[in-house]
Amino acid sequence: MTTDWHFALGLAEGVALGLAAAVGIIAVRGGRVPGWNRRPVFRRRLWGQGALVLTASVALPSLALAMIGPGAVQFAFTLVGSAGMLTGAALMHRARRDRRRPGGPAAGPDSGPTSPAS
C-alpha cells in the first residue's frame, strides 16, 4: 500500500523536474525566459544554465536514493547536490545583474556616491 504514494510522489517530482529542465533548455537554446522572470533577467542564457544546474542538483539525491539506497554514497550525492543548488542559484542571481552598471539592476542613474545632493 505504501508503494502507491511513493510512486505518485516520484511521478510528481519527475514532472516538476521535467518542466524545470524544459524551461532551462528553452532559456539556453532560444534565450527565452518565463514571463514571471523575463523583465529582471539580463543574461538569459546564463539564467538557463543556472536553471539546468539547479534542476540536476535537485534530482541527484533522489536518483541516488532510488538507485543505491540509503548510506554513505547517497549522503555524498546529497552533498554534491547541495553544492549544485548553491551554484545554480548563484548563476541565476548573476544573470539578473547588469554588467554595464556596477550596482546591478536596482542602481539607476541617480544612485551611487557621485550623485548630487538635493
Side-chain angles (χ1 to χ4, degrees), residues 37-103:
N37 266 338
R38 188 170 299 140
R39 185 169 154 225
V41 175
F42 291 101
R43 293 183 275 176
R44 295 177 178 165
R45 284 179 174 41
L46 181 64
W47 187 89
Q49 291 169 352
L52 287 175
V53 169
L54 189 69
T55 302
S57 63
V58 167
L60 187 64
S62 298
L63 288 175
L65 182 62
M67 299 294 181
I68 300 168
V73 176
Q74 194 268 338
F75 180 70
F77 276 100
T78 302
L79 290 178
V80 170
S82 299
M85 284 186 227
L86 292 174
T87 304
L91 287 174
M92 292 173 78
H93 174 70
R94 191 72 183 142
R96 289 176 174 247
R97 296 184 50 130
D98 192 2
R99 287 185 284 188
R100 295 170 289 195
R101 289 190 249 162

